[in-house]
Amino acid sequence: MNTVNSIQHARSPFHILIKPIGPICNLRCEYCFYLTKTEMFDDGEQYRMSDEVLEETIRQYIAAQPPGTEQLGFGWQGGEPTLMGVDFFRRVVELQTKYARPDLEVINGLQTNGTLLDDEWGKFLHDEKFLVGLSIDGPAELHNRYRLDVQGRGTFEKVMAGMDVLKRHEVEYNVLTVVHSDNADHPREVYDFLADEGVTFLQFIPIVEHDRKGNVSNRSVQSEQFGRFLNGVFDRWLQRNDVGRVFVQQFDTSLAITMGYPAPLCVHAETCGRSTAMEHNGDLYSCDHWVFAENRLGNVMETSVTDMVDGDFQTGFGLDKSRKLPGYCKRCKYLRFCNGECPKDRIKTTPDGQSGLHYLCEGYKMFFEHSGPVFEKMADCLRMGRPVSDYNVIDQFKRQAQAAPRLQPTRSARPADTRPAAPRRNESCPCGSGKKYKKCCMKR
């Protein structure tokens, strides 16, 4: 194959989730949707990204980002990316340095099951400032329900040993928890376990397994069950006074949208298409959840990533998220918070008979209704320059502000534009953490 020589800037920033070992993993989690992707490749495939594909990917990914892009994240996932070994990622850093741009900060994120982490990994991840996502589904009895090794044994102890490595080497990490039909009934136990372990950044990913006909597996979380789970975590977060100390991705997202900022996650954005997925052989696909033959955009060794992400097919793929949204959703008062969520799971029918309703619609409505009043108060805190942890006394602060004398506007004064501008990288993060945006939600 011939590499692509000239690289044009893409029309807007985009992201590539890179799977250097494809769908190969040392575990056999029962709900994993990626293990079967081996069927997409020829027999005898080594499922390891070659140095040639790696270098071409890094070169193009950096070069294609448009001017004005300040930060570029490399996301490494699988399968299990640590199966590639530490030396592969040393080569990653070497190539990122080789093709670096002075106007672009490069960061790396590694999603792992944690079972292969040791001190060599810990030192490398710390020294190279990798952000690690660690997969844990809760305490042992809940984690071991579906997260099994190849012998069918629970993996909790090995994962916790991996967490100890990250703590010992002071590696920045967050936890990704898959919410399934078993742990969804235990929001307090899941949250308390993770918070008591010192985890300060949490992501809860609902598992929705379905076939092309919309039949859902028994492992999948039910819609209202997911709503109760989020509400339970939210209530526990408030009860423990963890606001401003523990950060939950869904809560950060809701607060940002309440403040008037664009949705920071593609699943909640109006359109998508700028978050793609690359397999070990250089094939680029529309999305991590759309690795199907019909969504193959091309190969990095044959076609530039700019042409692939800006092409008509991918552009249409992204716009369809909004264009195919049912009227029932467009009339919903919570539209700005979810925008119909991910098209992957729009498998239900609306009450008026339209197809394309998200499977978790009712659950999300339960969460938005339950948490909305609190996020409104937290947003008021931020507007008044107060920490979000003051949400419970914000009404008092508002009354004090209203009682204060006000200056009368001059005749020449023009109405202020109250719409919030997108935060710049060195400004305070809108989630209320007290950190700079580049060190908090922008990085995550």
Side-chain angles (χ1 to χ4, degrees), residues 336-379:
R336 68 187 178 115
F337 287 95
C338 77
N339 282 296
E341 242 273 355
C342 181
K344 174 185 78 76
D345 295 326
R346 292 182 183 176
I347 59 175
K348 296 182 69 175
T349 302
T350 67
D352 53 6
Q354 275 189 287
S355 61
L357 180 66
H358 196 274
Y359 172 78
L360 296 174
C361 174
E362 290 304 316
Y364 276 116
K365 283 183 178 179
M366 290 169 59
F367 170 65
F368 297 145
E369 181 176 2
H370 181 73
S371 63
V374 176
F375 286 128
E376 288 288 353
K377 291 187 176 184
M378 289 182 177

mmCIF file of all heavy atoms in Angstrom, residues 336-379:
data_model
loop_
_atom_site.group_PDB
_atom_site.id
_atom_site.type_symbol
_atom_site.label_atom_id
_atom_site.label_comp_id
_atom_site.label_asym_id
_atom_site.label_seq_id
_atom_site.Cartn_x
_atom_site.Cartn_y
_atom_site.Cartn_z
ATOM 1 N N ARG A 336 -32.402 19.576 24.581
ATOM 2 C CA ARG A 336 -31.034 20.119 24.595
ATOM 3 C C ARG A 336 -30.085 19.285 25.449
ATOM 4 O O ARG A 336 -28.869 19.370 25.287
ATOM 5 C CB ARG A 336 -31.042 21.566 25.084
ATOM 6 C CG ARG A 336 -31.417 21.750 26.557
ATOM 7 C CD ARG A 336 -31.559 23.227 26.889
ATOM 8 N NE ARG A 336 -31.964 23.442 28.264
ATOM 9 C CZ ARG A 336 -31.212 24.047 29.186
ATOM 10 N NH1 ARG A 336 -30.006 24.479 28.864
ATOM 11 N NH2 ARG A 336 -31.660 24.226 30.415
ATOM 12 N N PHE A 337 -30.638 18.470 26.364
ATOM 13 C CA PHE A 337 -29.780 17.667 27.222
ATOM 14 C C PHE A 337 -29.358 16.358 26.574
ATOM 15 O O PHE A 337 -28.357 15.770 26.976
ATOM 16 C CB PHE A 337 -30.483 17.374 28.551
ATOM 17 C CG PHE A 337 -30.571 18.566 29.452
ATOM 18 C CD1 PHE A 337 -31.704 19.349 29.463
ATOM 19 C CD2 PHE A 337 -29.505 18.919 30.257
ATOM 20 C CE1 PHE A 337 -31.795 20.459 30.298
ATOM 21 C CE2 PHE A 337 -29.573 20.027 31.087
ATOM 22 C CZ PHE A 337 -30.729 20.804 31.105
ATOM 23 N N CYS A 338 -30.121 15.847 25.624
ATOM 24 C CA CYS A 338 -29.754 14.545 25.056
ATOM 25 C C CYS A 338 -29.716 14.528 23.536
ATOM 26 O O CYS A 338 -28.995 13.738 22.949
ATOM 27 C CB CYS A 338 -30.700 13.458 25.548
ATOM 28 S SG CYS A 338 -32.307 13.438 24.755
ATOM 29 N N ASN A 339 -30.501 15.393 22.873
ATOM 30 C CA ASN A 339 -30.564 15.409 21.415
ATOM 31 C C ASN A 339 -30.779 14.015 20.824
ATOM 32 O O ASN A 339 -30.216 13.642 19.797
ATOM 33 C CB ASN A 339 -29.296 16.043 20.827
ATOM 34 C CG ASN A 339 -29.311 17.559 20.921
ATOM 35 O OD1 ASN A 339 -30.151 18.211 20.303
ATOM 36 N ND2 ASN A 339 -28.412 18.122 21.706
ATOM 37 N N GLY A 340 -31.615 13.249 21.516
ATOM 38 C CA GLY A 340 -31.938 11.918 21.009
ATOM 39 C C GLY A 340 -30.919 10.860 21.324
ATOM 40 O O GLY A 340 -31.065 9.711 20.907
ATOM 41 N N GLU A 341 -29.834 11.245 22.054
ATOM 42 C CA GLU A 341 -28.755 10.328 22.430
ATOM 43 C C GLU A 341 -28.183 9.619 21.202
ATOM 44 O O GLU A 341 -28.388 10.037 20.067
ATOM 45 C CB GLU A 341 -29.251 9.332 23.481
ATOM 46 C CG GLU A 341 -28.503 9.426 24.818
ATOM 47 C CD GLU A 341 -27.242 8.577 24.843
ATOM 48 O OE1 GLU A 341 -26.983 7.846 23.876
ATOM 49 O OE2 GLU A 341 -26.534 8.622 25.867
ATOM 50 N N CYS A 342 -27.417 8.553 21.412
ATOM 51 C CA CYS A 342 -26.681 7.903 20.320
ATOM 52 C C CYS A 342 -27.631 7.158 19.371
ATOM 53 O O CYS A 342 -28.471 6.370 19.831
ATOM 54 C CB CYS A 342 -25.660 6.936 20.895
ATOM 55 S SG CYS A 342 -24.669 6.106 19.627
ATOM 56 N N PRO A 343 -27.516 7.381 18.063
ATOM 57 C CA PRO A 343 -28.371 6.670 17.100
ATOM 58 C C PRO A 343 -28.252 5.152 17.180
ATOM 59 O O PRO A 343 -29.155 4.439 16.737
ATOM 60 C CB PRO A 343 -27.881 7.196 15.746
ATOM 61 C CG PRO A 343 -27.299 8.532 16.048
ATOM 62 C CD PRO A 343 -26.666 8.396 17.408
ATOM 63 N N LYS A 344 -27.158 4.657 17.746
ATOM 64 C CA LYS A 344 -26.978 3.204 17.865
ATOM 65 C C LYS A 344 -28.144 2.545 18.578
ATOM 66 O O LYS A 344 -28.538 1.418 18.245
ATOM 67 C CB LYS A 344 -25.679 2.909 18.622
ATOM 68 C CG LYS A 344 -25.450 1.448 18.936
ATOM 69 C CD LYS A 344 -24.207 1.245 19.783
ATOM 70 C CE LYS A 344 -24.421 1.580 21.228
ATOM 71 N NZ LYS A 344 -25.185 0.523 21.957
ATOM 72 N N ASP A 345 -28.697 3.248 19.570
ATOM 73 C CA ASP A 345 -29.734 2.647 20.405
ATOM 74 C C ASP A 345 -31.109 3.283 20.210
ATOM 75 O O ASP A 345 -31.971 3.197 21.091
ATOM 76 C CB ASP A 345 -29.324 2.736 21.881
ATOM 77 C CG ASP A 345 -28.082 1.917 22.173
ATOM 78 O OD1 ASP A 345 -27.916 0.857 21.547
ATOM 79 O OD2 ASP A 345 -27.271 2.348 23.019
ATOM 80 N N ARG A 346 -31.341 3.879 19.067
ATOM 81 C CA ARG A 346 -32.674 4.420 18.773
ATOM 82 C C ARG A 346 -33.533 3.302 18.164
ATOM 83 O O ARG A 346 -33.794 3.263 16.960
ATOM 84 C CB ARG A 346 -32.578 5.600 17.812
ATOM 85 C CG ARG A 346 -31.915 6.839 18.404
ATOM 86 C CD ARG A 346 -31.908 7.973 17.385
ATOM 87 N NE ARG A 346 -31.222 9.159 17.879
ATOM 88 C CZ ARG A 346 -31.021 10.260 17.153
ATOM 89 N NH1 ARG A 346 -31.471 10.311 15.903
ATOM 90 N NH2 ARG A 346 -30.386 11.296 17.660
ATOM 91 N N ILE A 347 -33.967 2.417 19.018
ATOM 92 C CA ILE A 347 -34.630 1.194 18.537
ATOM 93 C C ILE A 347 -36.084 1.111 18.960
ATOM 94 O O ILE A 347 -36.757 0.129 18.659
ATOM 95 C CB ILE A 347 -33.881 -0.048 19.055
ATOM 96 C CG1 ILE A 347 -33.844 -0.067 20.589
ATOM 97 C CG2 ILE A 347 -32.468 -0.105 18.482
ATOM 98 C CD1 ILE A 347 -33.237 -1.324 21.184
ATOM 99 N N LYS A 348 -36.588 2.142 19.630
ATOM 100 C CA LYS A 348 -37.973 2.111 20.092
ATOM 101 C C LYS A 348 -38.860 2.981 19.198
ATOM 102 O O LYS A 348 -38.370 3.735 18.352
ATOM 103 C CB LYS A 348 -38.058 2.586 21.545
ATOM 104 C CG LYS A 348 -37.334 1.668 22.529
ATOM 105 C CD LYS A 348 -37.480 2.154 23.959
ATOM 106 C CE LYS A 348 -38.902 1.993 24.463
ATOM 107 N NZ LYS A 348 -39.005 2.364 25.905
ATOM 108 N N THR A 349 -40.145 2.882 19.420
ATOM 109 C CA THR A 349 -41.133 3.663 18.671
ATOM 110 C C THR A 349 -41.747 4.703 19.602
ATOM 111 O O THR A 349 -42.042 4.418 20.767
ATOM 112 C CB THR A 349 -42.235 2.744 18.113
ATOM 113 O OG1 THR A 349 -41.624 1.760 17.277
ATOM 114 C CG2 THR A 349 -43.241 3.544 17.296
ATOM 115 N N THR A 350 -41.945 5.903 19.092
ATOM 116 C CA THR A 350 -42.531 6.969 19.901
ATOM 117 C C THR A 350 -44.014 6.679 20.161
ATOM 118 O O THR A 350 -44.628 5.864 19.456
ATOM 119 C CB THR A 350 -42.409 8.319 19.185
ATOM 120 O OG1 THR A 350 -43.232 8.296 18.011
ATOM 121 C CG2 THR A 350 -40.962 8.593 18.779
ATOM 122 N N PRO A 351 -44.629 7.341 21.146
ATOM 123 C CA PRO A 351 -46.059 7.136 21.405
ATOM 124 C C PRO A 351 -46.946 7.425 20.205
ATOM 125 O O PRO A 351 -48.041 6.859 20.096
ATOM 126 C CB PRO A 351 -46.350 8.119 22.547
ATOM 127 C CG PRO A 351 -45.040 8.252 23.263
ATOM 128 C CD PRO A 351 -44.007 8.187 22.179
ATOM 129 N N ASP A 352 -46.480 8.290 19.292
ATOM 130 C CA ASP A 352 -47.294 8.587 18.105
ATOM 131 C C ASP A 352 -46.899 7.743 16.898
ATOM 132 O O ASP A 352 -47.293 8.033 15.769
ATOM 133 C CB ASP A 352 -47.234 10.075 17.753
ATOM 134 C CG ASP A 352 -45.812 10.601 17.620
ATOM 135 O OD1 ASP A 352 -44.868 9.773 17.694
ATOM 136 O OD2 ASP A 352 -45.636 11.804 17.447
ATOM 137 N N GLY A 353 -46.088 6.691 17.142
ATOM 138 C CA GLY A 353 -45.842 5.710 16.096
ATOM 139 C C GLY A 353 -44.616 5.913 15.239
ATOM 140 O O GLY A 353 -44.386 5.136 14.309
ATOM 141 N N GLN A 354 -43.767 6.901 15.527
ATOM 142 C CA GLN A 354 -42.548 7.102 14.750
ATOM 143 C C GLN A 354 -41.429 6.199 15.273
ATOM 144 O O GLN A 354 -41.294 5.981 16.480
ATOM 145 C CB GLN A 354 -42.087 8.563 14.845
ATOM 146 C CG GLN A 354 -42.749 9.508 13.857
ATOM 147 C CD GLN A 354 -42.072 10.864 13.888
ATOM 148 O OE1 GLN A 354 -42.210 11.642 14.814
ATOM 149 N NE2 GLN A 354 -41.312 11.149 12.843
ATOM 150 N N SER A 355 -40.618 5.716 14.372
ATOM 151 C CA SER A 355 -39.442 4.956 14.776
ATOM 152 C C SER A 355 -38.304 5.919 15.127
ATOM 153 O O SER A 355 -38.356 7.099 14.770
ATOM 154 C CB SER A 355 -38.999 4.022 13.650
ATOM 155 O OG SER A 355 -38.649 4.767 12.496
ATOM 156 N N GLY A 356 -37.304 5.421 15.825
ATOM 157 C CA GLY A 356 -36.120 6.226 16.110
ATOM 158 C C GLY A 356 -36.054 6.804 17.506
ATOM 159 O O GLY A 356 -35.234 7.687 17.770
ATOM 160 N N LEU A 357 -36.877 6.296 18.432
ATOM 161 C CA LEU A 357 -36.807 6.764 19.813
ATOM 162 C C LEU A 357 -35.713 5.985 20.543
ATOM 163 O O LEU A 357 -35.594 4.772 20.395
ATOM 164 C CB LEU A 357 -38.150 6.554 20.508
ATOM 165 C CG LEU A 357 -38.243 7.010 21.976
ATOM 166 C CD1 LEU A 357 -38.108 8.523 22.067
ATOM 167 C CD2 LEU A 357 -39.551 6.543 22.592
ATOM 168 N N HIS A 358 -34.923 6.686 21.353
ATOM 169 C CA HIS A 358 -33.833 6.026 22.055
ATOM 170 C C HIS A 358 -34.361 5.069 23.117
ATOM 171 O O HIS A 358 -35.344 5.350 23.810
ATOM 172 C CB HIS A 358 -32.914 7.061 22.711
ATOM 173 C CG HIS A 358 -31.587 6.508 23.109
ATOM 174 N ND1 HIS A 358 -31.363 5.888 24.320
ATOM 175 C CD2 HIS A 358 -30.403 6.446 22.439
ATOM 176 C CE1 HIS A 358 -30.110 5.484 24.391
ATOM 177 N NE2 HIS A 358 -29.494 5.818 23.260
ATOM 178 N N TYR A 359 -33.679 3.935 23.237
ATOM 179 C CA TYR A 359 -34.082 2.888 24.166
ATOM 180 C C TYR A 359 -34.148 3.391 25.610
ATOM 181 O O TYR A 359 -34.981 2.947 26.400
ATOM 182 C CB TYR A 359 -33.098 1.720 24.050
ATOM 183 C CG TYR A 359 -33.270 0.643 25.072
ATOM 184 C CD1 TYR A 359 -34.285 -0.306 24.957
ATOM 185 C CD2 TYR A 359 -32.423 0.560 26.171
ATOM 186 C CE1 TYR A 359 -34.449 -1.311 25.900
ATOM 187 C CE2 TYR A 359 -32.572 -0.436 27.121
ATOM 188 C CZ TYR A 359 -33.584 -1.366 26.984
ATOM 189 O OH TYR A 359 -33.739 -2.346 27.930
ATOM 190 N N LEU A 360 -33.267 4.320 25.976
ATOM 191 C CA LEU A 360 -33.189 4.796 27.357
ATOM 192 C C LEU A 360 -33.914 6.118 27.572
ATOM 193 O O LEU A 360 -33.671 6.806 28.583
ATOM 194 C CB LEU A 360 -31.725 4.935 27.779
ATOM 195 C CG LEU A 360 -30.916 3.636 27.815
ATOM 196 C CD1 LEU A 360 -29.448 3.939 28.099
ATOM 197 C CD2 LEU A 360 -31.466 2.679 28.863
ATOM 198 N N CYS A 361 -34.796 6.491 26.671
ATOM 199 C CA CYS A 361 -35.470 7.790 26.737
ATOM 200 C C CYS A 361 -36.118 8.032 28.099
ATOM 201 O O CYS A 361 -35.893 9.068 28.733
ATOM 202 C CB CYS A 361 -36.505 7.894 25.618
ATOM 203 S SG CYS A 361 -37.526 9.389 25.696
ATOM 204 N N GLU A 362 -36.942 7.120 28.561
ATOM 205 C CA GLU A 362 -37.664 7.334 29.809
ATOM 206 C C GLU A 362 -36.705 7.446 30.996
ATOM 207 O O GLU A 362 -36.928 8.237 31.914
ATOM 208 C CB GLU A 362 -38.672 6.208 30.040
ATOM 209 C CG GLU A 362 -39.850 6.243 29.090
ATOM 210 C CD GLU A 362 -40.584 7.577 29.138
ATOM 211 O OE1 GLU A 362 -40.817 8.098 30.255
ATOM 212 O OE2 GLU A 362 -40.928 8.100 28.061
ATOM 213 N N GLY A 363 -35.639 6.669 30.973
ATOM 214 C CA GLY A 363 -34.664 6.747 32.047
ATOM 215 C C GLY A 363 -33.971 8.096 32.100
ATOM 216 O O GLY A 363 -33.768 8.667 33.186
ATOM 217 N N TYR A 364 -33.589 8.603 30.928
ATOM 218 C CA TYR A 364 -32.964 9.921 30.889
ATOM 219 C C TYR A 364 -33.928 11.002 31.360
ATOM 220 O O TYR A 364 -33.546 11.928 32.096
ATOM 221 C CB TYR A 364 -32.468 10.235 29.474
ATOM 222 C CG TYR A 364 -31.109 9.663 29.175
ATOM 223 C CD1 TYR A 364 -30.933 8.689 28.196
ATOM 224 C CD2 TYR A 364 -29.982 10.098 29.869
ATOM 225 C CE1 TYR A 364 -29.677 8.161 27.920
ATOM 226 C CE2 TYR A 364 -28.730 9.584 29.604
ATOM 227 C CZ TYR A 364 -28.579 8.612 28.624
ATOM 228 O OH TYR A 364 -27.335 8.101 28.366
ATOM 229 N N LYS A 365 -35.196 10.903 30.975
ATOM 230 C CA LYS A 365 -36.180 11.888 31.430
ATOM 231 C C LYS A 365 -36.285 11.880 32.951
ATOM 232 O O LYS A 365 -36.385 12.935 33.591
ATOM 233 C CB LYS A 365 -37.540 11.594 30.805
ATOM 234 C CG LYS A 365 -37.687 12.022 29.347
ATOM 235 C CD LYS A 365 -39.102 11.736 28.874
ATOM 236 C CE LYS A 365 -39.315 12.197 27.443
ATOM 237 N NZ LYS A 365 -40.691 11.894 26.977
ATOM 238 N N MET A 366 -36.277 10.689 33.539
ATOM 239 C CA MET A 366 -36.329 10.588 34.995
ATOM 240 C C MET A 366 -35.145 11.326 35.630
ATOM 241 O O MET A 366 -35.303 12.056 36.621
ATOM 242 C CB MET A 366 -36.310 9.116 35.421
ATOM 243 C CG MET A 366 -37.570 8.349 35.096
ATOM 244 S SD MET A 366 -37.382 6.550 35.337
ATOM 245 C CE MET A 366 -36.935 6.475 37.083
ATOM 246 N N PHE A 367 -33.964 11.155 35.044
ATOM 247 C CA PHE A 367 -32.772 11.799 35.592
ATOM 248 C C PHE A 367 -32.822 13.312 35.391
ATOM 249 O O PHE A 367 -32.544 14.080 36.324
ATOM 250 C CB PHE A 367 -31.520 11.211 34.941
ATOM 251 C CG PHE A 367 -30.269 11.966 35.272
ATOM 252 C CD1 PHE A 367 -29.790 12.005 36.573
ATOM 253 C CD2 PHE A 367 -29.573 12.640 34.280
ATOM 254 C CE1 PHE A 367 -28.632 12.713 36.885
ATOM 255 C CE2 PHE A 367 -28.417 13.343 34.584
ATOM 256 C CZ PHE A 367 -27.945 13.382 35.885
ATOM 257 N N PHE A 368 -33.177 13.772 34.190
ATOM 258 C CA PHE A 368 -33.213 15.208 33.933
ATOM 259 C C PHE A 368 -34.225 15.908 34.836
ATOM 260 O O PHE A 368 -33.962 17.005 35.349
ATOM 261 C CB PHE A 368 -33.538 15.480 32.463
ATOM 262 C CG PHE A 368 -32.506 14.953 31.500
ATOM 263 C CD1 PHE A 368 -32.887 14.444 30.260
ATOM 264 C CD2 PHE A 368 -31.160 14.960 31.814
ATOM 265 C CE1 PHE A 368 -31.957 13.957 29.365
ATOM 266 C CE2 PHE A 368 -30.204 14.472 30.934
ATOM 267 C CZ PHE A 368 -30.605 13.968 29.707
ATOM 268 N N GLU A 369 -35.366 15.288 35.028
ATOM 269 C CA GLU A 369 -36.388 15.890 35.876
ATOM 270 C C GLU A 369 -35.939 15.936 37.333
ATOM 271 O O GLU A 369 -36.156 16.923 38.040
ATOM 272 C CB GLU A 369 -37.694 15.109 35.754
ATOM 273 C CG GLU A 369 -38.830 15.684 36.593
ATOM 274 C CD GLU A 369 -40.141 14.956 36.384
ATOM 275 O OE1 GLU A 369 -40.180 13.964 35.615
ATOM 276 O OE2 GLU A 369 -41.152 15.372 36.994
ATOM 277 N N HIS A 370 -35.308 14.872 37.785
ATOM 278 C CA HIS A 370 -34.885 14.766 39.184
ATOM 279 C C HIS A 370 -33.719 15.712 39.496
ATOM 280 O O HIS A 370 -33.713 16.374 40.542
ATOM 281 C CB HIS A 370 -34.477 13.319 39.465
ATOM 282 C CG HIS A 370 -34.040 13.072 40.873
ATOM 283 N ND1 HIS A 370 -34.914 13.034 41.936
ATOM 284 C CD2 HIS A 370 -32.799 12.846 41.408
ATOM 285 C CE1 HIS A 370 -34.257 12.792 43.057
ATOM 286 N NE2 HIS A 370 -32.969 12.674 42.766
ATOM 287 N N SER A 371 -32.751 15.778 38.602
ATOM 288 C CA SER A 371 -31.521 16.529 38.882
ATOM 289 C C SER A 371 -31.574 17.975 38.408
ATOM 290 O O SER A 371 -30.801 18.812 38.893
ATOM 291 C CB SER A 371 -30.324 15.837 38.222
ATOM 292 O OG SER A 371 -30.477 15.827 36.798
ATOM 293 N N GLY A 372 -32.479 18.278 37.478
ATOM 294 C CA GLY A 372 -32.506 19.595 36.858
ATOM 295 C C GLY A 372 -32.539 20.767 37.824
ATOM 296 O O GLY A 372 -31.734 21.713 37.682
ATOM 297 N N PRO A 373 -33.441 20.770 38.836
ATOM 298 C CA PRO A 373 -33.473 21.908 39.755
ATOM 299 C C PRO A 373 -32.157 22.152 40.485
ATOM 300 O O PRO A 373 -31.774 23.296 40.724
ATOM 301 C CB PRO A 373 -34.591 21.516 40.740
ATOM 302 C CG PRO A 373 -35.481 20.601 39.957
ATOM 303 C CD PRO A 373 -34.539 19.821 39.077
ATOM 304 N N VAL A 374 -31.448 21.064 40.820
ATOM 305 C CA VAL A 374 -30.164 21.223 41.500
ATOM 306 C C VAL A 374 -29.119 21.795 40.554
ATOM 307 O O VAL A 374 -28.338 22.684 40.918
ATOM 308 C CB VAL A 374 -29.684 19.885 42.094
ATOM 309 C CG1 VAL A 374 -28.293 20.034 42.720
ATOM 310 C CG2 VAL A 374 -30.673 19.387 43.127
ATOM 311 N N PHE A 375 -29.088 21.308 39.315
ATOM 312 C CA PHE A 375 -28.116 21.843 38.355
ATOM 313 C C PHE A 375 -28.402 23.303 38.036
ATOM 314 O O PHE A 375 -27.469 24.070 37.779
ATOM 315 C CB PHE A 375 -28.108 20.997 37.084
ATOM 316 C CG PHE A 375 -27.424 19.670 37.245
ATOM 317 C CD1 PHE A 375 -28.047 18.489 36.869
ATOM 318 C CD2 PHE A 375 -26.148 19.592 37.778
ATOM 319 C CE1 PHE A 375 -27.424 17.264 37.023
ATOM 320 C CE2 PHE A 375 -25.511 18.369 37.942
ATOM 321 C CZ PHE A 375 -26.154 17.208 37.565
ATOM 322 N N GLU A 376 -29.657 23.711 38.049
ATOM 323 C CA GLU A 376 -29.975 25.128 37.852
ATOM 324 C C GLU A 376 -29.354 25.960 38.965
ATOM 325 O O GLU A 376 -28.804 27.043 38.721
ATOM 326 C CB GLU A 376 -31.489 25.330 37.824
ATOM 327 C CG GLU A 376 -32.181 24.805 36.573
ATOM 328 C CD GLU A 376 -31.906 25.655 35.342
ATOM 329 O OE1 GLU A 376 -31.278 26.732 35.477
ATOM 330 O OE2 GLU A 376 -32.319 25.237 34.240
ATOM 331 N N LYS A 377 -29.432 25.485 40.192
ATOM 332 C CA LYS A 377 -28.835 26.218 41.310
ATOM 333 C C LYS A 377 -27.310 26.213 41.214
ATOM 334 O O LYS A 377 -26.651 27.209 41.530
ATOM 335 C CB LYS A 377 -29.294 25.614 42.631
ATOM 336 C CG LYS A 377 -30.769 25.851 42.927
ATOM 337 C CD LYS A 377 -31.145 25.393 44.324
ATOM 338 C CE LYS A 377 -32.606 25.730 44.626
ATOM 339 N NZ LYS A 377 -32.990 25.398 46.016
ATOM 340 N N MET A 378 -26.738 25.077 40.791
ATOM 341 C CA MET A 378 -25.289 25.038 40.617
ATOM 342 C C MET A 378 -24.849 26.014 39.528
ATOM 343 O O MET A 378 -23.818 26.694 39.663
ATOM 344 C CB MET A 378 -24.849 23.623 40.266
ATOM 345 C CG MET A 378 -24.961 22.635 41.406
ATOM 346 S SD MET A 378 -24.379 20.983 40.925
ATOM 347 C CE MET A 378 -24.560 20.106 42.477
ATOM 348 N N ALA A 379 -25.635 26.096 38.462
ATOM 349 C CA ALA A 379 -25.318 27.051 37.388
ATOM 350 C C ALA A 379 -25.380 28.477 37.914
ATOM 351 O O ALA A 379 -24.547 29.324 37.561
ATOM 352 C CB ALA A 379 -26.278 26.854 36.217
#
